[in-house]
Amino acid sequence: MTDCRVVVGVTTYRRPEPLRAMLSSLLQQKAAPPFTVIVVDNDPAESARPVLEDFPSEWQYLVEATPGIAAGRNKVLDALPDDADVLVFIDDDELAPPPWLAALLAGFARWEVDIVGGPVRTLLPETSPAWARSGVLQRPVQRAGSADGLPATNNVAIDLRAWRGAGQPHFSEEFSLTGGSDSEFFRRVTRDLGMTFAWEPAAWVDEPWPQDRLSRRWLWRRSQRGGNVLGRLDRRDRPGIAIVAGGVLRSIKAIPVAVSELLAGRLPWKAMLVTLPRGLGYAGAGWGREVIEYARASADNSVPGAGGTLNKVAWNGMSFRQGTVPRAIAALKAAVRGEHEPTHVHLCNSWTIALAEQDARLAGALRTAAATNLVDGVPLSIALSRRPGGSRDTTRGPTLFREGVVALASSGYRQLLFGGTEDSLNRIMATFAEDGVDITTIDGYSPPMRSLDDEAIEEYLDLIATSKADVIWIGLGTPKQDILAAAVTSRLGITAVCVGAAFDFVAGTVRPAPSWLQGSGFEWLYRFAKEPRRLWRRYTLGNLQFLWVLAREELRGARP
């Protein structure tokens, strides 16, 4: 395509200098038709606006305050001129060589397709460690003209006539906070809407690799997220157990990959940092796990859920809420803002259900109308997924605590951390301070070791009332924390959240399970291996009690 109107779309979030370098590279394009640029800033503070002042005035600058990369991409689609012929996406941290745009557009005629994708070449810093230089950070280059894999919005051109003919599809905001909305988009338009695609290797772009991503932990998490996105897409057509099995097989493939790397005289970085976490992330999708990558505050510092509010599921005489951590934080902030009644939040798993069978006060706390019972355990999520409105979504307590405190502090709400030791509370405060949180809005109280009788509850309520806190995070362990939280909400009208061992995880006094286990549904194995004497009762007698509840509900006609 040489005689056409081209629009280059870019979404950005707080990366002004990489954005400036990328836009400057667009000005160096050769042999390409005239084009215009639409930059969508996902930062409500408009941090990218000064950058655009140095570029052609006809280039358009827009702001999309809704957090998430899908919202930004959709803003580009909505802003397209009616007479635009081609839309090109490029990332804000890439550099386009002078022949790039002409080569990308030439792919339309060369391959007679509706979508042309180009490769991305990683440029590593000279100080990169050996594992990074092994090739694990380089994306594969597909064969010219092939339709293998899927393109991405980091380097792609779309024929807008074909896009309009397909009904002007948009990016799904279900993937806004996890990433992968471009994978979902291109799978949908090519598989379901009839658009065609091919790779053009000559149209490559460079991505200077930032120093803060030269981390094996970062690559593991990114690989896990990529596998998780693919698993979620495949789960639309296949049952969850098939996704789990497929993920296990993908993980096992790390063994031959490692062998081939060793035989070639290299350490098995690809096997350990790419193949294995991708397989585990894929398997996690079978359990309903989502790997959140882009969660952050919106225009009012709240964090909207990836796809909506928390789902409500009734089972065993209790009302449960299911959803991702961002959804739970959004619901929590709504309660603190007074948009609905204060609530006491419980992170429930099979052990919680088992204890509630033996402790009437715990059962009462979980069954009150003011309770928000989040699901933080795979066995319980599996049971609920078979109920009307249920799913396998879980809300991980330590993540809710850490990200929730940050989100509430950014809005200026006062918070009280109730539980743990003085040392652990000091460590938690130091951790949040390192994260840039204004800890002047956060207080802590370490209660003495004692039973939670009526006298203790009255003393604690008096102390909490004088704190003037907007929300209380309680880490006393189940059932103490749950009973106290219910009293805090019913007597003081304050939202309280039970987070158990999350205090120890954030303080660093207890090591959480590796990230790959957190996303696979087998975190309990790690905890049991670390503390068998303390946890054997939970994972043996407790699970037997939970299975008895499942059987009882079946006999009652409430199929779990």
Side-chain angles (χ1 to χ4, degrees):
M1 291 186 179
T2 56
D3 185 19
C4 60
R5 183 173 183 186
V6 179
V7 176
V8 178
V10 184
T11 59
T12 188
Y13 179 73
R14 295 185 180 178
R15 291 200 281 204
E17 293 312 311
L19 175 65
R20 184 185 304 277
M22 187 279 295
L23 294 176
S24 297
S25 73
L26 293 183
L27 293 177
Q28 307 303 316
Q29 295 303 297
K30 296 180 179 178
F35 62 89
T36 188
V37 176
I38 298 175
V39 175
V40 173
D41 192 351
N42 208 199
D43 181 8
E46 303 186 9
S47 56
R49 182 178 291 278
V51 176
L52 269 293
E53 294 175 356
D54 299 330
F55 292 91
S57 58
E58 61 269 22
W59 288 11
Q60 195 171 1
Y61 173 78
L62 304 172
V63 177
E64 176 52 67
T66 302
I69 198 166
R73 291 166 179 161
N74 287 333
K75 188 82 167 184
V76 173
L77 295 177
D78 293 336
L80 288 171
D82 293 337
D83 59 347
D85 300 304
V86 176
L87 170 62
V88 176
F89 276 113
I90 183 172
D91 277 355
D92 62 349
D93 59 349
E94 294 173 342
L95 299 174
W100 164 70
L101 186 55
L104 192 65
L105 297 177
F108 285 111
R110 184 181 181 190
W111 307 115
E112 298 182 348
V113 292
D114 304 319
I115 303 168
V116 179
V120 178
R121 185 175 65 175
T122 300
L123 301 182
L124 294 173
E126 293 182 0
T127 57
S128 299
W131 70 266
R133 298 195 304 270
S134 68
V136 293
L137 295 175
Q138 292 290 351
R139 299 171 176 86
V141 178
Q142 303 292 349
R143 178 174 50 86
S146 75
D148 298 333
L150 291 169
T153 51
N154 54 19
N155 186 10
V156 69
I158 303 170
D159 185 334
L160 292 177
R161 290 166 295 188
W163 174 74
R164 294 185 182 103
Q168 301 185 15
H170 279 49
F171 293 88
S172 171
E173 296 200 19
E174 175 188 355
F175 292 82
S176 253
L177 303 183
T178 62
S181 61
D182 50 355
S183 296
E184 191 280 335
F185 175 86
F186 288 114
R187 173 184 278 203
R188 176 162 37 97
V189 299
T190 55
R191 190 181 70 171
D192 302 333
L193 301 181
M195 296 181 70
T196 55
F197 158 69
W199 289 103
E200 178 49 73
W204 48 270
V205 296
D206 289 324
E207 181 182 19
W209 201 258
Q211 193 72 35
D212 60 2
R213 290 186 180 180
L214 284 176
S215 159
R216 291 189 291 268
R217 180 182 179 88
W218 184 93
L219 179 57
W220 175 287
R221 187 70 172 176
R222 172 57 65 94
S223 299
Q224 185 186 37
R225 194 271 293 175
N228 185 256
V229 166
L230 181 59
R232 290 167 62 199
L233 292 175
D234 286 348
R235 193 175 173 188
R236 293 178 172 182
D237 306 315
R238 301 166 59 191
I241 189 63
I243 301 301
V244 174
V248 172
L249 292 176
R250 289 166 184 261
S251 300
I252 293 174
K253 287 182 181 179
I255 297 174
V257 172
V259 171
S260 66
E261 288 184 289
L262 291 170
L263 290 176
R266 302 189 304 269
L267 291 175
W269 295 120
K270 181 178 180 180
M272 299 306 298
L273 298 178
V274 179
T275 308
L276 177 59
R278 278 182 179 172
L280 293 171
Y282 189 94
W287 295 114
R289 294 276 179 164
E290 294 181 7
V291 180
I292 305 297
E293 184 163 355
Y294 300 110
R296 55 183 169 81
S298 66
D300 64 349
N301 291 320
S302 64
V303 182
T309 57
L310 296 167
N311 297 327
K312 185 176 181 179
V313 189
W315 180 74
N316 190 32
M318 302 176 187
S319 177
F320 295 92
R321 298 282 181 169
Q322 289 186 279
T324 58
V325 167
R327 296 185 192 181
I329 293 175
L332 180 60
K333 292 196 71 174
V336 175
R337 285 195 300 262
E339 295 178 11
H340 55 73
E341 293 297 317
T343 181
H344 43 99
V345 181
H346 310 267
L347 279 300
C348 300
N349 51 33
S350 56
W351 179 237
T352 313
I353 303 303
L355 284 180
E357 291 295 310
Q358 307 164 27
D359 191 316
R361 292 198 299 171
L362 173 60
L366 299 176
R367 291 190 169 108
T368 64
T372 298
N373 299 318
L374 300 175
V375 179
D376 186 17
V378 170
L380 180 57
S381 73
I382 293 175
L384 295 181
S385 69
R386 301 175 63 189
R387 298 287 297 160
S391 71
R392 294 191 180 181
D393 285 345
T394 59
T395 307
R396 189 169 181 271
T399 307
L400 175 66
F401 172 53
R402 185 157 190 168
E403 296 185 5
V405 168
V406 173
L408 289 166
S410 67
S411 296
Y413 294 114
R414 295 201 60 82
Q415 303 176 72
L416 174 64
L417 312 185
F418 193 98
T421 64
E422 290 288 348
D423 179 64
S424 66
L425 290 174
N426 289 334
R427 289 171 178 262
I428 291 171
M429 293 296 188
T431 298
F432 284 128
E434 291 174 0
D435 290 344
V437 177
D438 179 10
I439 61 173
T440 61
T441 63
I442 306 173
D443 293 320
Y445 176 72
S446 175
M449 295 290 294
R450 62 185 294 188
S451 61
L452 192 69
D453 53 22
D454 291 342
E455 181 181 354
I457 290 177
E458 292 301 323
E459 290 182 12
Y460 292 159
L461 290 178
D462 289 342
L463 185 147
I464 291 170
T466 60
S467 71
K468 306 298 182 183
D470 299 300
V471 63
I472 316 297
W473 300 90
I474 306 178
L476 298 178
T478 298
K480 285 184 179 180
Q481 61 188 11
D482 305 88
I483 297 168
L484 179 59
V488 168
T489 301
S490 63
R491 300 272 298 279
L492 302 180
I494 300 173
T495 291
V497 188
C498 306
V499 289
F503 279 20
D504 294 324
F505 291 149
V506 175
T509 55
V510 175
R511 289 189 61 182
S515 59
W516 59 271
L517 270 180
Q518 295 173 19
S520 67
F522 296 102
E523 186 176 356
W524 66 273
L525 281 173
Y526 178 86
R527 296 189 64 188
F528 182 63
K530 296 285 286 186
E531 301 181 88
R533 289 189 177 182
R534 187 175 74 87
L535 297 177
W536 73 269
R537 183 182 298 273
R538 170 183 294 194
Y539 294 128
T540 54
L541 301 181
N543 284 345
L544 289 174
Q545 180 83 56
F546 178 71
L547 291 174
W548 182 85
V549 174
L550 289 178
R552 183 187 66 196
E553 293 303 300
E554 178 76 21
L555 292 174
R556 286 178 177 174
R559 185 183 177 215

